PDB file of all heavy atoms in Angstrom:
ATOM      1  N   HIS D  95       9.367  38.969  -3.874  1.00 88.00           N
ATOM      2  CA  HIS D  95       7.934  38.757  -4.084  1.00 88.00           C
ATOM      3  C   HIS D  95       7.583  39.041  -5.541  1.00 88.00           C
ATOM      4  O   HIS D  95       8.224  39.844  -6.209  1.00 88.00           O
ATOM      5  CB  HIS D  95       7.109  39.698  -3.196  1.00 88.00           C
ATOM      6  CG  HIS D  95       7.522  39.701  -1.764  1.00 88.00           C
ATOM      7  ND1 HIS D  95       6.743  39.176  -0.759  1.00 88.00           N
ATOM      8  CD2 HIS D  95       8.631  40.162  -1.143  1.00 88.00           C
ATOM      9  CE1 HIS D  95       7.355  39.319   0.393  1.00 88.00           C
ATOM     10  NE2 HIS D  95       8.504  39.912   0.184  1.00 88.00           N
ATOM     11  N   THR D  96       6.538  38.404  -5.987  1.00 83.00           N
ATOM     12  CA  THR D  96       6.046  38.670  -7.339  1.00 83.00           C
ATOM     13  C   THR D  96       4.922  39.705  -7.334  1.00 83.00           C
ATOM     14  O   THR D  96       4.460  40.121  -8.376  1.00 83.00           O
ATOM     15  CB  THR D  96       5.521  37.373  -7.980  1.00 83.00           C
ATOM     16  OG1 THR D  96       4.500  36.806  -7.132  1.00 83.00           O
ATOM     17  CG2 THR D  96       6.651  36.366  -8.138  1.00 83.00           C
ATOM     18  N   GLU D  97       4.511  40.143  -6.135  1.00 80.00           N
ATOM     19  CA  GLU D  97       3.424  41.115  -6.047  1.00 80.00           C
ATOM     20  C   GLU D  97       3.870  42.484  -6.573  1.00 80.00           C
ATOM     21  O   GLU D  97       5.054  42.762  -6.734  1.00 80.00           O
ATOM     22  CB  GLU D  97       2.935  41.268  -4.598  1.00 80.00           C
ATOM     23  CG  GLU D  97       2.273  40.027  -4.023  1.00 80.00           C
ATOM     24  CD  GLU D  97       3.265  39.142  -3.280  1.00 80.00           C
ATOM     25  OE1 GLU D  97       4.476  39.193  -3.600  1.00 80.00           O
ATOM     26  OE2 GLU D  97       2.822  38.391  -2.406  1.00 80.00           O
ATOM     27  N   GLU D  98       2.898  43.351  -6.801  1.00 79.00           N
ATOM     28  CA  GLU D  98       3.186  44.706  -7.226  1.00 79.00           C
ATOM     29  C   GLU D  98       3.830  45.485  -6.084  1.00 79.00           C
ATOM     30  O   GLU D  98       3.687  45.156  -4.910  1.00 79.00           O
ATOM     31  CB  GLU D  98       1.892  45.409  -7.664  1.00 79.00           C
ATOM     32  CG  GLU D  98       1.230  44.794  -8.883  1.00 79.00           C
ATOM     33  CD  GLU D  98       2.071  44.934 -10.137  1.00 79.00           C
ATOM     34  OE1 GLU D  98       2.755  45.967 -10.269  1.00 79.00           O
ATOM     35  OE2 GLU D  98       2.052  44.002 -10.972  1.00 79.00           O
ATOM     36  N   LEU D  99       4.551  46.555  -6.436  1.00 83.00           N
ATOM     37  CA  LEU D  99       5.214  47.369  -5.430  1.00 83.00           C
ATOM     38  C   LEU D  99       4.239  48.014  -4.458  1.00 83.00           C
ATOM     39  O   LEU D  99       4.611  48.378  -3.347  1.00 83.00           O
ATOM     40  CB  LEU D  99       6.046  48.463  -6.108  1.00 83.00           C
ATOM     41  CG  LEU D  99       7.269  48.003  -6.912  1.00 83.00           C
ATOM     42  CD1 LEU D  99       8.012  49.222  -7.457  1.00 83.00           C
ATOM     43  CD2 LEU D  99       8.206  47.165  -6.084  1.00 83.00           C
ATOM     44  N   LEU D 100       2.993  48.153  -4.845  1.00 79.00           N
ATOM     45  CA  LEU D 100       2.037  48.869  -4.008  1.00 79.00           C
ATOM     46  C   LEU D 100       1.448  48.012  -2.902  1.00 79.00           C
ATOM     47  O   LEU D 100       0.656  48.497  -2.101  1.00 79.00           O
ATOM     48  CB  LEU D 100       0.899  49.442  -4.875  1.00 79.00           C
ATOM     49  CG  LEU D 100       1.347  50.485  -5.907  1.00 79.00           C
ATOM     50  CD1 LEU D 100       0.144  50.985  -6.717  1.00 79.00           C
ATOM     51  CD2 LEU D 100       2.034  51.658  -5.223  1.00 79.00           C
ATOM     52  N   VAL D 101       1.818  46.720  -2.844  1.00 84.00           N
ATOM     53  CA  VAL D 101       1.292  45.868  -1.792  1.00 84.00           C
ATOM     54  C   VAL D 101       1.786  46.380  -0.442  1.00 84.00           C
ATOM     55  O   VAL D 101       2.867  46.963  -0.332  1.00 84.00           O
ATOM     56  CB  VAL D 101       1.723  44.396  -2.015  1.00 84.00           C
ATOM     57  CG1 VAL D 101       3.196  44.216  -1.715  1.00 84.00           C
ATOM     58  CG2 VAL D 101       0.897  43.439  -1.173  1.00 84.00           C
ATOM     59  N   GLU D 102       0.968  46.198   0.604  1.00 87.00           N
ATOM     60  CA  GLU D 102       1.327  46.718   1.918  1.00 87.00           C
ATOM     61  C   GLU D 102       2.556  45.995   2.466  1.00 87.00           C
ATOM     62  O   GLU D 102       2.708  44.792   2.334  1.00 87.00           O
ATOM     63  CB  GLU D 102       0.149  46.538   2.891  1.00 87.00           C
ATOM     64  CG  GLU D 102       0.380  47.190   4.243  1.00 87.00           C
ATOM     65  CD  GLU D 102      -0.851  47.107   5.133  1.00 87.00           C
ATOM     66  OE1 GLU D 102      -1.926  46.730   4.627  1.00 87.00           O
ATOM     67  OE2 GLU D 102      -0.730  47.423   6.322  1.00 87.00           O
ATOM     68  N   SER D 103       3.443  46.746   3.112  1.00 88.00           N
ATOM     69  CA  SER D 103       4.680  46.186   3.646  1.00 88.00           C
ATOM     70  C   SER D 103       4.405  45.227   4.801  1.00 88.00           C
ATOM     71  O   SER D 103       3.411  45.344   5.503  1.00 88.00           O
ATOM     72  CB  SER D 103       5.603  47.312   4.116  1.00 88.00           C
ATOM     73  OG  SER D 103       5.947  48.145   3.035  1.00 88.00           O
ATOM     74  N   ASP D 104       5.336  44.298   5.017  1.00 92.00           N
ATOM     75  CA  ASP D 104       5.207  43.295   6.076  1.00 92.00           C
ATOM     76  C   ASP D 104       6.539  43.193   6.809  1.00 92.00           C
ATOM     77  O   ASP D 104       7.485  42.575   6.318  1.00 92.00           O
ATOM     78  CB  ASP D 104       4.813  41.946   5.479  1.00 92.00           C
ATOM     79  CG  ASP D 104       4.635  40.844   6.523  1.00 92.00           C
ATOM     80  OD1 ASP D 104       4.866  41.114   7.722  1.00 92.00           O
ATOM     81  OD2 ASP D 104       4.265  39.728   6.153  1.00 92.00           O
ATOM     82  N   TYR D 105       6.616  43.805   7.996  1.00 93.00           N
ATOM     83  CA  TYR D 105       7.890  43.840   8.713  1.00 93.00           C
ATOM     84  C   TYR D 105       8.342  42.449   9.148  1.00 93.00           C
ATOM     85  O   TYR D 105       9.533  42.235   9.387  1.00 93.00           O
ATOM     86  CB  TYR D 105       7.806  44.767   9.926  1.00 93.00           C
ATOM     87  CG  TYR D 105       7.072  44.181  11.122  1.00 93.00           C
ATOM     88  CD1 TYR D 105       7.750  43.403  12.059  1.00 93.00           C
ATOM     89  CD2 TYR D 105       5.709  44.399  11.313  1.00 93.00           C
ATOM     90  CE1 TYR D 105       7.092  42.851  13.147  1.00 93.00           C
ATOM     91  CE2 TYR D 105       5.051  43.851  12.395  1.00 93.00           C
ATOM     92  CZ  TYR D 105       5.740  43.087  13.312  1.00 93.00           C
ATOM     93  OH  TYR D 105       5.085  42.525  14.383  1.00 93.00           O
ATOM     94  N   THR D 106       7.412  41.463   9.239  1.00 95.00           N
ATOM     95  CA  THR D 106       7.813  40.131   9.713  1.00 95.00           C
ATOM     96  C   THR D 106       8.627  39.371   8.666  1.00 95.00           C
ATOM     97  O   THR D 106       9.145  38.295   8.956  1.00 95.00           O
ATOM     98  CB  THR D 106       6.590  39.286  10.116  1.00 95.00           C
ATOM     99  OG1 THR D 106       5.861  38.880   8.958  1.00 95.00           O
ATOM    100  CG2 THR D 106       5.681  40.046  11.072  1.00 95.00           C
ATOM    101  N   LEU D 107       8.747  39.914   7.471  1.00 95.00           N
ATOM    102  CA  LEU D 107       9.610  39.330   6.441  1.00 95.00           C
ATOM    103  C   LEU D 107      10.897  40.134   6.260  1.00 95.00           C
ATOM    104  O   LEU D 107      11.761  39.741   5.482  1.00 95.00           O
ATOM    105  CB  LEU D 107       8.872  39.264   5.103  1.00 95.00           C
ATOM    106  CG  LEU D 107       7.754  38.230   4.986  1.00 95.00           C
ATOM    107  CD1 LEU D 107       6.922  38.486   3.725  1.00 95.00           C
ATOM    108  CD2 LEU D 107       8.314  36.816   4.971  1.00 95.00           C
ATOM    109  N   SER D 108      11.015  41.248   6.953  1.00 96.00           N
ATOM    110  CA  SER D 108      12.141  42.159   6.720  1.00 96.00           C
ATOM    111  C   SER D 108      13.453  41.538   7.184  1.00 96.00           C
ATOM    112  O   SER D 108      13.496  40.707   8.095  1.00 96.00           O
ATOM    113  CB  SER D 108      11.908  43.489   7.443  1.00 96.00           C
ATOM    114  OG  SER D 108      12.024  43.327   8.850  1.00 96.00           O
TER     115      SER D 108
END
Side-chain angles (χ1 to χ4, degrees):
H95 310 249
T96 56
E97 294 93 334
E98 296 294 325
L99 292 183
L100 297 180
V101 72
E102 186 175 349
S103 298
D104 181 357
Y105 77 87
T106 72
L107 288 168
S108 71

